[in-house]
Amino acid sequence: AQTVTQSQPEMSVQEAETVTLSCTYDTSESDYYLFWYKQPPSRQMILVIRQEAYKQQNATENRFSVNFQKAAKSFSLKISDSQLGDAAMYFCAYRSSLITQGGSEKLVFGKGTKLTVNP
Amino acid sequence: KAGVTQTPRYLIKTRGQQVTLSCSPISGHRSVSWYQQTPGQGLQFLFEYFSETQRNKGNFPGRFSGRQFSNSRSEMNVSTLELGDSALYLCASSLVLGANVLTFGAGSRLTVL
């Protein structure tokens, strides 16, 4: 079974600074997808960024970017120019290819990292 | 466009009771999945439905069940509630299988006393 590990339970960053959240995963599969979700106090999970394992290029979404190291099974999230609204729980998630999971979109989540943004 | 709607948002039950939670996916979305979120166990997959069929089920006891209706709305039921069932239950929907993007609702917060 796949596992996702987020080794930083809590992180803090100053407003306008850059912060990197770590995520490692364990899998024997070669085709899969990785995601970062954000959960603010409102509780609604919001997709931040996604990465297909077959793509070597790191995904980028505005101030959010990832460092995907497939061989090392590492998938870190970098938040640039941090804003107060970035404060939330961040979850790293893994999804097998649909073929492997028989069509299922089941996500395996890490335990999360609580990000605090200081003004 | 309305998002994923979960009802009720909050509820309190006592041990031994049963509870039914509802999830209305985004219009046109046919896949619905459920997750349980607790401080201790984190986010755990409960089950997933597509076109009224259960596609996958997580490692939860038989007290947890669900179903999906022809309009894609889904319900999950927990019978004989235990204190450990206290959690945030999240529902997510996607347009079709393989869409890669799950859109989550705000969840139903269940407290079991």
Side-chain angles (χ1 to χ4, degrees):
Chain A
Q2 294 77 32
T3 58
V4 177
T5 303
Q6 293 178 250
S7 59
Q8 306 151 316
E10 296 188 28
M11 292 280 286
S12 64
V13 63
Q14 292 296 126
E15 197 174 4
E17 296 293 308
T18 296
V19 64
T20 298
L21 307 184
S22 301
C23 172
T24 59
Y25 57 94
D26 186 29
T27 185
S28 59
E29 300 169 347
S30 59
D31 187 18
Y32 49 86
Y33 301 84
L34 297 164
F35 306 84
W36 278 98
Y37 277 90
K38 166 186 176 182
Q39 187 179 41
S42 66
R43 307 180 332 198
Q44 187 153 9
M45 300 278 280
I46 302 165
L47 178 67
V48 175
I49 201 166
R50 64 182 176 189
Q51 174 82 42
E52 292 89 342
Y54 64 86
K55 291 186 177 180
Q56 294 187 347
Q57 186 173 4
N58 290 323
T60 299
E61 288 286 343
N62 300 313
R63 298 182 295 107
F64 299 87
S65 62
V66 298
N67 184 2
F68 173 49
Q69 301 290 327
K70 191 173 184 179
K73 297 179 183 174
S74 171
F75 183 61
S76 61
L77 174 69
K78 185 173 80 172
I79 306 174
S80 304
D81 186 24
S82 297
Q83 301 175 0
L84 295 177
D86 294 333
M89 284 291 293
Y90 284 81
F91 292 94
C92 179
Y94 173 102
R95 203 203 83 188
S96 298
S97 73
L98 289 182
I99 295 175
T100 303
Q101 277 195 154
S104 173
E105 296 182 303
K106 169 189 171 183
L107 294 175
V108 177
F109 286 92
K111 294 289 191 184
T113 296
K114 182 180 180 180
L115 178 65
T116 301
V117 181
N118 301 310
Chain B
K1 192 175 187 181
V4 178
T5 304
Q6 292 189 245
T7 56
R9 290 291 305 276
Y10 302 89
L11 67 166
I12 300 174
K13 294 285 187 179
T14 56
R15 279 181 297 175
Q17 288 187 309
Q18 75 166 14
V19 65
T20 298
L21 308 178
S22 178
C23 171
S24 293
I26 291 173
S27 179
H29 283 199
R30 297 170 60 193
S31 176
V32 173
S33 51
W34 290 87
Y35 291 82
Q36 181 197 64
Q37 184 176 19
T38 60
Q41 298 299 316
L43 283 147
Q44 293 186 288
F45 173 77
L46 277 159
F47 22 63
E48 174 187 39
Y49 291 90
F50 178 74
S51 293
E52 303 178 66
T53 301
Q54 188 178 84
R55 278 284 188 168
N56 200 353
K57 188 177 191 303
N59 188 25
F60 279 82
R63 301 185 296 108
F64 291 81
S65 63
R67 59 178 175 171
Q68 186 181 33
F69 302 96
S70 58
N71 62 357
S72 294
R73 189 178 71 85
S74 177
E75 289 182 347
M76 65 163 285
N77 183 77
V78 187
S79 62
T80 320
L81 284 167
E82 301 178 358
L83 296 179
D85 297 333
S86 294
L88 178 66
Y89 290 88
L90 292 168
C91 168
S93 73
S94 66
L95 184 58
V96 292
L97 291 181
N100 288 334
V101 179
L102 296 182
T103 302
F104 283 83
S108 293
R109 171 77 68 186
L110 171 66
T111 300
V112 181
L113 302 177

